[in-house]
Amino acid sequence: MLLPVTSKVDAGGHLVIGGCDVISLGKKYGTPLYIIDLATLRRQMEDYRKYFGYPDLETGIIYASKAFTCTAMAQLVSEYGLGMDVSTGGELYIALNAGVPPEKILFHGNNKSYAEIVSGLDSKVGVFVVDNFHELQMLADICRERNIRQDIMIRITPGVKASTHEYIQTGNQESKFGFAINGQDALEAIKITSGSGNLKLKGIHAHIGSQIFNISCYDRLVEVMIKFMARVKEELGISLAHLDIGGGLGVKYVPEDRPPSIGDLAGVIYDAVKKYSVKFSHGIDKLYLEPGRSIVGNAGVTLYEVGAVKEIKDIRNYAAIDGGMSDNIRPILYGAKYHAYLANRMEDIKSCNEEDIRNYSIVGKHCESGDVIIDDIRLPQLKSGDFIVVGTTGAYCYSMASNYNGQPMNAVVAVEEGKSRLWIERQAYNDLTIRDKRLYGD
Ligand code: LLP
């Protein structure tokens, strides 16, 4: 799946998603526009619930809100009974403001401030995932002052390498996240926790990376984590019952991608838990997962209008769109690859005459040569006023968007069964100066 599951082409050659003609959506809400197909989003959440609904092992599916969050998204996630992972006070605010039950919130983050810890405690979040000694101390102190007991997990750096872009690998020993499993840090953190009457240690957490295709690393991760739990039991006499193995499942961005399914992942993880519980004589009561991208990635597309088309003879053809790195930073940041469709003329590219096809670089409107969304794609000859849809932009595009070059942030619209509903309004120009102060005067 690259385009959302409901994608179709109508008689006029327009791309239709969730029963809505995307060209009409562009006219109604403007472009660039993030479009979210609710059927795809629902299916992904249902699949997580279905495949991880093991008969003999309790699981908690915690949506990683950093992938994409807003009020409506947080509400939908809660309707499906999923928990929510927040990693800053800001994400916590969005979740609480949307009505996410606080006990379903996992509070992540490798540098929680005093104020963030306090707001997590004030709002009674379910679990703090503690990253480092500084946080552990601060949390224990605040809980003692308030005479409360807070559930926590300790984040472990397991030394398991995920094959993905180095910027989004997090499980290796030199990672900035968590307590290293080798040496004494992780054990020491657990010792401190068990000595504090104000912290209740529920289990351990690890997240090894994102956009992972080779899921055998989860077998290794479960092995390392359960082995460590057995060591904690043996050396400290502490029985840890909960294991959180983070997110990371990859999704399809370009036609060649072959990501494993949620069912495949569920199988690998189940087998690993069973195998290593026996091997290390240490069972677990509850398994947590924190999927982000694999829930929302393929549900989202971005619709752009083509402006300038520049054909530099025998060198390169450029099609410039009305957004770019401000609404999708991933190509310039990670070299991420995307695929696009000509949404107002979806004719099968194979049925086009060869002379009507061109290779294009789809470039943004920002003042950087690197503002390239797709380096090289074959499309029917483009003209100004055409509409391009870029697939798989549901995750880490809106959430990493910026106002670079004074570009207002795109609207987000959700579609289902022929109806569209605005989830986030497009920023207006005055949003760009709303917090500015004048050089002189009051
Ligand atoms: N849990 C933790 C603790 C995480 O740090 C992350 C992602 C997730 C869960 C969710 O991982 P997912 O299922 O989405 O792979 N900006 C990058 C991705 C950074 C991921 C950061 N952590 C990108 O655009 O590819």
Side-chain angles (χ1 to χ4, degrees):
M1 175 177 61
L2 199 163
L3 281 177
V5 290
T6 61
S7 302
K8 292 192 177 66
V9 177
D10 72 9
H14 288 190
L15 176 62
V16 173
I17 299 177
C20 298
D21 169 0
V22 300
I23 309 307
S24 308
L25 292 174
K27 294 198 169 130
K28 181 166 179 188
Y29 298 103
T31 56
L33 180 67
Y34 296 114
I35 302 170
I36 294 187
D37 179 44
L38 286 181
T40 307
L41 195 50
R42 292 182 195 283
R43 193 186 75 169
Q44 297 308 94
M45 291 193 282
E46 278 159 11
D47 276 3
Y48 265 103
R49 284 203 321 204
K50 179 165 107 194
Y51 290 108
F52 284 92
Y54 303 134
D56 53 353
L57 174 61
E58 196 189 342
T59 48
I61 307 297
I62 311 291
Y63 172 63
S65 71
K66 69 205 78 188
F68 170 71
T69 192
C70 64
T71 302
M73 180 68 185
Q75 289 175 328
L76 188 70
V77 166
S78 294
E79 269 181 30
Y80 277 77
L82 273 57
M84 192 166 277
D85 141 6
V86 301
S87 51
T88 61
E91 286 177 354
L92 174 63
Y93 173 83
I94 296 171
L96 293 170
N97 184 58
V100 175
E103 68 277 9
K104 291 230 160 203
I105 296 177
L106 249 78
F107 200 172
H108 272 287
N110 72 308
N111 190 21
K112 299 182 190 75
S113 67
Y114 183 89
E116 284 175 319
I117 291 180
V118 165
S119 56
L121 292 172
D122 281 347
S123 53
K124 299 194 167 35
V125 299
V127 178
F128 273 73
V129 182
V130 177
D131 180 273
N132 53 69
F133 289 115
H134 169 71
E135 179 188 345
L136 191 57
Q137 194 60 56
M138 204 163 27
L139 183 62
D141 289 349
I142 306 173
C143 289
R144 194 169 56 274
E145 282 158 21
R146 297 175 163 221
N147 198 21
I148 52 173
R149 194 146 193 250
Q150 174 64 46
D151 286 352
I152 71 162
M153 282 199 261
I154 293 287
R155 180 164 182 169
I156 304 286
T157 323
V160 176
K161 199 168 171 201
S163 44
T164 185
H165 194 287
E166 65 171 309
Y167 286 8
I168 50 178
Q169 278 181 7
T170 43
N172 44 331
Q173 286 294 310
E174 69 267 30
S175 166
K176 73 168 181 171
F177 298 104
F179 297 92
I181 203 165
N182 294 340
Q184 292 302 311
D185 280 4
L187 222 52
E188 182 60 24
I190 288 169
K191 230 188 274 176
I192 295 174
T193 309
S194 66
S196 155
N198 299 97
L199 301 178
K200 185 165 169 40
L201 183 59
K202 303 294 285 185
I204 53 173
H205 166 279
H207 168 77
I208 51 175
S210 198
Q211 184 58 2
I212 295 170
F213 276 26
N214 181 353
I215 54 177
S216 61
C217 59
Y218 288 97
D219 176 275
R220 176 82 185 121
L221 174 62
V222 171
E223 176 178 15
V224 167
M225 296 295 270
I226 294 186
K227 187 175 175 194
F228 179 71
M229 290 166 121
R231 181 175 159 212
V232 169
K233 174 83 184 142
E234 194 184 303
E235 293 187 24
L236 304 177
I238 297 168
S239 207
L240 298 171
H242 292 185
L243 173 60
D244 183 336
I245 53 171
L249 180 63
V251 302
K252 183 169 181 153
Y253 282 94
V254 290
E256 314 79 88
D257 283 343
R258 297 277 174 273
S261 68
I262 295 170
D264 295 337
L265 179 67
V268 166
I269 292 174
Y270 184 78
D271 292 347
V273 170
K274 292 289 148 186
K275 183 169 54 174
Y276 298 116
S277 297
V278 171
K279 182 168 176 193
F280 300 113
S281 308
H282 192 287
I284 58 168
D285 292 348
K286 188 163 181 179
L287 176 79
Y288 286 97
L289 274 110
E290 299 169 348
R293 188 191 317 264
S294 52
I295 285 190
V296 71
N298 291 119
V301 302
T302 311
L303 176 71
Y304 300 99
E305 187 174 342
V306 174
V309 178
K310 192 182 284 182
E311 301 193 353
I312 308 177
K313 202 168 176 334
D314 300 330
I315 299 185
R316 197 179 266 265
N317 302 321
Y318 286 106
I321 50 175
D322 50 357
M325 62 187 284
S326 55
D327 60 63
N328 187 355
I329 190 78
R330 300 191 69 260
I332 197 170
L333 190 57
Y334 310 118
K337 301 274 178 277
Y338 282 88
H339 195 68
Y341 301 83
L342 177 50
N344 54 310
R345 289 187 280 134
M346 289 288 285
E347 61 256 80
D348 185 353
I349 190 150
K350 291 186 198 100
S351 71
C352 249
N353 294 326
E354 197 49 39
E355 63 269 22
D356 295 331
I357 296 195
R358 299 278 184 282
N359 280 59
Y360 287 101
S361 290
I362 308 288
V363 297
K365 63 181 292 175
H366 295 281
C367 304
E368 301 220 15
S369 304
D371 178 25
V372 177
I373 296 295
I374 299 174
D375 185 48
D376 185 14
I377 185 168
R378 276 164 66 77
L379 285 172
Q381 189 168 16
L382 296 175
K383 56 184 184 334
S384 171
D386 276 334
F387 288 91
I388 294 280
V389 153
V390 174
T392 320
T393 59
Y396 302 111
C397 286
Y398 176 80
S399 60
M400 294 171 78
S402 76
N403 287 129
Y404 184 40
N405 291 139
Q407 176 84 347
M409 287 199 203
N410 302 351
V412 180
V413 68
V415 292
E416 184 162 52
E417 291 178 352
K419 295 200 178 63
S420 62
R421 187 177 175 90
L422 202 55
W423 273 13
I424 305 175
E425 213 172 273
R426 180 179 306 283
Q427 281 184 339
Y429 284 140
N430 69 353
D431 286 312
L432 301 174
T433 53
I434 205 152
R435 283 176 185 76
D436 289 11
K437 303 291 174 208
R438 296 263 159 211
L439 182 58
Y440 299 112
D442 290 335

